[in-house]
Amino acid sequence: ASIVAPFTSLEKDIVSVVEVIREGRCALANALSSYKFIIMYGQIGTYNQLIAAYFRITFTEWGWVFADGVWTITLSFALPLSRALKKLAASRPTASVLGLHTLSSALSVLVFNFLFVVIAFVALSHQEWYQCRKWTGTDVSNLLVIGDNYETEVLWLVTGWQIVNSAIVWNFGYEFRKAWIFNYTIVALVSGYAAIHFYITLVPSELSCFFRVNCVNENAFDGVFGVLPIQNDFNTTVMPEHFRYALVVIMIANTLTTVMWDYLVVNGLRRYFGSKRRTRERELRAKYDGQTMIQKDITKEPIKEEEDLTETEKIPVPSIQNV
């Protein structure tokens, strides 16, 4: 009773302690996943700003709304909704925000994300149609003007998808949470965002003009500041079809690489070394217990028979008359 007392449970059973441990480990794993997601959002925003400063560009109004508001808030809300796994794992998740497992997971995904941004811009720079359509503006005072160019378009599409992709990477359950597909909220959000993102990447339409992506003046969106024509010398931000598909391939490759790395390498190594450590601990414990039992057998005195006892060692038995 003293063990169960600190916990509130409808079942008056010691098994409730196991339930608390199971749910606690799930909560801890969820908290670390949300922590890494928010850290990754900040790091993506950091190299976003550096690249934007280099090209003297910025996102469009609705590009910022989705990057800083819609994607980040909804996904950070949905990520901790994963449920606990029915089976209690052999170990607990890490509780260190600066531990080896947490940092290796976050930093490796960050490196891969940045590499795929570089790949996207290298692919853009090698396009013949782009050579005469590079952004050459130097005046950065008007934020409504410096967002209508191909550099902004590529940067927003790739890094915007990386924000959504970070939720995909850290939604996997591993040993402490149910499989990713059972977090129905985040599956629904990611599916919807992926459909919109890939659609506006591939299909020039009024929806893509909402983000000033693959847009022409005829479909220019009536935004917060009214209908604003495309602010470049070509009156369009439509990319050739082959390059649109190339961007989709880059984004999908980004997802597959980060998911496989985090799932198979980072968490695979953690499971491998954790299993070896537990095996070594069991062997040491068994060896220690065996040595202890042998020592007890050696030092234990033999039990004396009654006839071998001296007169002083015999315990007198009271008779009925004495009682």
Side-chain angles (χ1 to χ4, degrees), residues 21 25 28 89-96 175-176 270 277-278:
I21 296 174
R25 288 180 175 181
L28 182 58
S91 63
R92 67 168 180 82
T94 179
S96 175
E175 301 101 326
F176 315 106
R270 187 194 67 81
R277 178 178 56 81
R278 290 190 296 272

Side-chain angles (χ1 to χ4, degrees), residues 11-164:
E11 298 179 3
K12 307 302 181 181
D13 194 342
I14 196 67
V15 178
S16 300
V17 177
V18 178
E19 293 298 314
V20 170
I21 296 174
R22 190 171 58 86
E23 293 290 344
R25 288 180 175 181
C26 174
L28 182 58
N30 281 336
L32 266 295
S33 295
S34 299
Y35 167 78
K36 289 186 285 187
F37 174 77
I38 294 299
I39 290 296
M40 186 55 54
Y41 159 72
Q43 297 305 310
I44 291 173
T46 299
Y47 63 70
N48 252 339
Q49 294 294 332
L50 292 174
I51 296 173
Y54 176 79
F55 286 108
R56 296 184 294 274
I57 59 175
T58 190
F59 290 167
T60 59
E61 51 182 328
W62 287 106
W64 279 120
V65 168
F66 269 72
D68 284 349
V70 177
W71 291 331
T72 306
I73 293 175
T74 56
L75 292 174
S76 61
F77 168 79
L79 197 56
L81 297 181
S82 296
R83 299 298 183 90
L85 198 64
K86 292 293 184 182
K87 181 181 178 181
L88 185 64
S91 63
R92 67 168 180 82
T94 179
S96 175
V97 296
L98 296 177
L100 178 61
H101 178 261
T102 305
L103 290 180
S104 61
S105 177
L107 291 178
S108 58
V109 173
L110 173 62
V111 170
F112 282 121
N113 283 343
F114 184 74
L115 286 177
F116 276 98
V117 173
V118 173
I119 291 172
F121 274 97
V122 169
L124 176 64
S125 65
H126 284 77
Q127 301 297 310
E128 293 183 3
W129 57 268
Y130 171 71
Q131 304 307 318
C132 59
R133 297 196 175 195
K134 294 181 180 180
W135 178 251
T136 57
T138 57
D139 183 9
V140 296
S141 60
N142 191 344
L143 299 180
L144 300 178
V145 173
I146 60 177
D148 289 338
N149 50 75
Y150 295 101
E151 292 85 352
T152 298
E153 196 170 6
V154 170
L155 183 63
W156 184 80
L157 287 172
V158 176
T159 59
W161 175 249
Q162 288 175 349
I163 296 175
V164 179

Side-chain angles (χ1 to χ4, degrees), residues 107-291:
L107 291 178
S108 58
V109 173
L110 173 62
V111 170
F112 282 121
N113 283 343
F114 184 74
L115 286 177
F116 276 98
V117 173
V118 173
I119 291 172
F121 274 97
V122 169
L124 176 64
S125 65
H126 284 77
Q127 301 297 310
E128 293 183 3
W129 57 268
Y130 171 71
Q131 304 307 318
C132 59
R133 297 196 175 195
K134 294 181 180 180
W135 178 251
T136 57
T138 57
D139 183 9
V140 296
S141 60
N142 191 344
L143 299 180
L144 300 178
V145 173
I146 60 177
D148 289 338
N149 50 75
Y150 295 101
E151 292 85 352
T152 298
E153 196 170 6
V154 170
L155 183 63
W156 184 80
L157 287 172
V158 176
T159 59
W161 175 249
Q162 288 175 349
I163 296 175
V164 179
N165 175 61
S166 299
I168 298 174
V169 173
W170 290 309
N171 184 45
F172 284 90
Y174 304 114
E175 301 101 326
F176 315 106
R177 299 179 292 170
K178 287 186 177 180
W180 61 271
I181 198 169
F182 291 105
N183 189 343
Y184 302 115
T185 305
I186 204 167
V187 169
L189 288 173
V190 168
S191 300
Y193 294 152
I196 294 173
H197 209 79
F198 292 144
Y199 179 79
I200 65 176
T201 304
L202 295 173
V203 182
S205 61
E206 292 184 358
L207 178 60
S208 65
C209 280
F210 185 84
F211 302 98
R212 314 287 283 189
V213 172
N214 287 321
C215 185
V216 293
N217 281 333
E218 290 76 10
N219 293 327
F221 178 70
D222 187 3
V224 176
F225 302 100
V227 178
L228 184 69
I230 300 298
Q231 300 296 302
N232 59 36
D233 297 335
F234 321 105
N235 298 319
T236 181
T237 57
V238 176
M239 298 177 289
E241 184 177 4
H242 71 276
F243 186 71
R244 285 180 254 154
Y245 279 99
L247 283 180
V248 171
V249 170
I250 290 173
M251 289 186 279
I252 293 176
N254 193 168
T255 298
L256 293 177
T257 302
T258 50
V259 166
M260 293 178 65
W261 176 268
D262 194 73
Y263 188 85
L264 298 178
V265 179
V266 177
N267 285 277
L269 289 176
R270 187 194 67 81
R271 287 192 296 268
Y272 173 75
F273 287 111
S275 176
K276 288 185 69 68
R277 178 178 56 81
R278 290 190 296 272
T279 301
R280 186 169 61 253
E281 288 176 352
R282 285 195 297 268
E283 291 175 350
L284 291 175
R285 191 179 300 113
K287 182 179 180 181
Y288 174 78
D289 291 343
Q291 291 176 347

